[in-house]
Amino acid sequence: PVSYIADTISENEKMFSEKSPDFFYKEGIVNQNKKDYDKAIEYFNAALEKDASFVKAKMNIASAYINKDTPESIKKGYDLAKVLWTTDKNPEILQILLWGIYKLSGSEEVFNFVESEAKDTENLIKEKDTLLNLLAGLYLESGKFEISLNYVEKALAKSPNEPEFVGMKARGLL
């Protein structure tokens, strides 16, 4: 009888979870990590069908479109990120938006955006190590080594053992 109850509870949890937006969101993340962006987008959209206000699902749809890496998908992801940015200025949305700007128009446009939106971007960038590292990489790619090192040092101050940041510093020092 105890195993029957455990099996019943387990089945009920599965049924509940498959009806929740979180279930679809997590499946989207799994597929995005596998680089199956079309499948990820399907799952994120399913999450939004369950909860239209699920901002993380919207953010990941934008990210998946950008990472599909076709001119049309990059534009679509950028447009989605831009809309999200107008309503919710948070570091995760900023990172997706900056990546979309970069994929569409290059590093200089990212720098222009960060500067033109400084009142909204400055503190968000200071707070988020991955944003600092993204900018470090873009400045490094642009040959602006001192600025790149400044950003990567700030990222390392927040996450000193992050291999990606250590690698970025090493590339900047070469």
Side-chain angles (χ1 to χ4, degrees):
V2 173
S3 66
Y4 172 75
I5 293 170
D7 289 343
T8 304
I9 290 171
S10 179
E11 283 301 311
N12 286 340
E13 285 177 356
K14 185 175 181 185
M15 284 178 55
F16 172 75
S17 69
E18 289 177 358
K19 292 180 181 177
S20 75
D22 287 330
F23 170 81
F24 293 103
Y25 175 76
K26 289 175 185 172
E27 289 295 315
I29 294 295
V30 167
N31 282 282
Q32 190 163 359
N33 289 340
K34 291 179 184 176
K35 300 188 185 323
D36 188 347
Y37 300 115
D38 290 325
K39 191 69 140 175
I41 291 166
E42 285 179 36
Y43 278 111
F44 294 136
N45 278 321
L48 288 173
E49 287 175 17
K50 303 288 183 187
D51 179 359
S53 66
F54 199 162
V55 174
K56 285 190 173 191
K58 293 176 184 180
M59 289 169 35
N60 279 283
I61 289 171
S63 179
Y65 273 119
I66 293 166
N67 288 324
K68 279 180 66 170
D69 211 22
T70 67
E72 300 81 21
S73 67
I74 293 167
K75 177 74 169 108
K76 188 168 188 171
Y78 163 77
D79 288 343
L80 290 169
K82 192 173 178 184
V83 168
L84 289 170
W85 177 250
T86 63
T87 60
D88 187 7
K89 295 187 176 7
N90 73 52
E92 291 81 13
I93 292 172
L94 179 58
Q95 186 160 343
I96 295 164
L97 180 59
L98 294 181
W99 187 242
I101 293 169
Y102 169 72
K103 297 295 274 183
L104 273 179
S105 306
S107 300
E108 288 303 319
E109 286 304 312
V110 171
F111 308 147
N112 290 339
F113 177 84
V114 168
E115 187 176 311
S116 70
E117 298 275 322
K119 69 178 179 57
D120 294 320
T121 61
E122 190 173 337
N123 287 331
L124 294 176
I125 291 167
K126 286 179 188 176
E127 294 170 12
K128 188 79 170 162
D129 57 358
T130 55
L131 268 170
L132 290 163
N133 195 55
L134 171 62
L135 288 168
L138 297 178
Y139 277 111
L140 180 62
E141 178 186 283
S142 298
K144 299 174 181 178
F145 304 112
E146 287 182 33
I147 298 171
S148 174
L149 282 172
N150 183 37
Y151 276 106
V152 80
E153 288 291 346
K154 290 175 183 175
L156 281 166
K158 294 188 170 300
S159 301
N161 297 320
E162 175 59 47
E164 187 177 332
F165 303 166
V166 173
M168 180 66 67
K169 182 176 181 179
R171 285 190 297 280
L173 293 171
L174 291 178

